Amino acid sequence: MATSEINENASESVNEDVNVAEAGTSNLSARSAAATVYYPVAPGQQVNVRRGPNTGSQIVRVLPEDSRIAIRCQTRGETITGPYGTTDIWDSIAPGQYVSDAYVKTGSDGFVTIRCS
């Protein structure tokens, strides 16, 4: 077998492996995107997003009325009373951004996703 034939065969094999890996990555991304659940905040409410799971933490932004959020993880914090009851569960919507679960319609009084570490 000539050297150029070996290089062509090796190149084809590498290209096939890359295509398989890329296909696997896009399938993974599609599955992750499909698994994202967005929860509505209480109607007519502008909700404070805080640096930590308590009202003493800095407000980093305010969610406008009729917002929907994806919850990354949940943790316990200060007990809050809101439109959806009284709870000490806080929803992390981004690193260092928390919203009281009392303002989010999750359909549950408990955890609906993983706990924040």
Side-chain angles (χ1 to χ4, degrees), residues 19-35:
N19 290 338
V20 168
E22 288 172 356
T25 301
S26 59
N27 285 341
L28 230 169
S29 297
R31 277 184 274 160
S32 295

Side-chain angles (χ1 to χ4, degrees), residues 46-67:
Q46 292 182 339
V47 178
N48 292 331
V49 179
R50 296 185 177 273
R51 181 82 51 213
N54 59 68
T55 57
S57 292
Q58 175 187 8
I59 296 172
V60 293
R61 64 184 172 126
V62 178
L63 297 175
E65 291 182 26
D66 302 322
S67 291

Side-chain angles (χ1 to χ4, degrees), residues 31-115:
R31 277 184 274 160
S32 295
T36 302
V37 177
Y38 290 88
Y39 299 95
V41 298
Q45 299 287 320
Q46 292 182 339
V47 178
N48 292 331
V49 179
R50 296 185 177 273
R51 181 82 51 213
N54 59 68
T55 57
S57 292
Q58 175 187 8
I59 296 172
V60 293
R61 64 184 172 126
V62 178
L63 297 175
E65 291 182 26
D66 302 322
S67 291
R68 296 178 71 78
I69 61 168
I71 301 172
R72 296 174 56 245
C73 60
Q74 294 177 299
T75 191
R76 296 208 182 270
E78 181 181 348
T79 299
I80 301 294
T81 298
Y84 296 114
T86 300
T87 184
D88 66 347
I89 297 175
W90 287 70
D91 306 327
S92 174
I93 61 172
Q97 295 188 26
Y98 295 87
V99 174
S100 171
D101 197 60
Y103 287 87
V104 182
K105 186 176 183 179
T106 61
S108 172
D109 288 337
F111 288 85
V112 295
T113 191
I114 62 171
R115 290 190 184 216

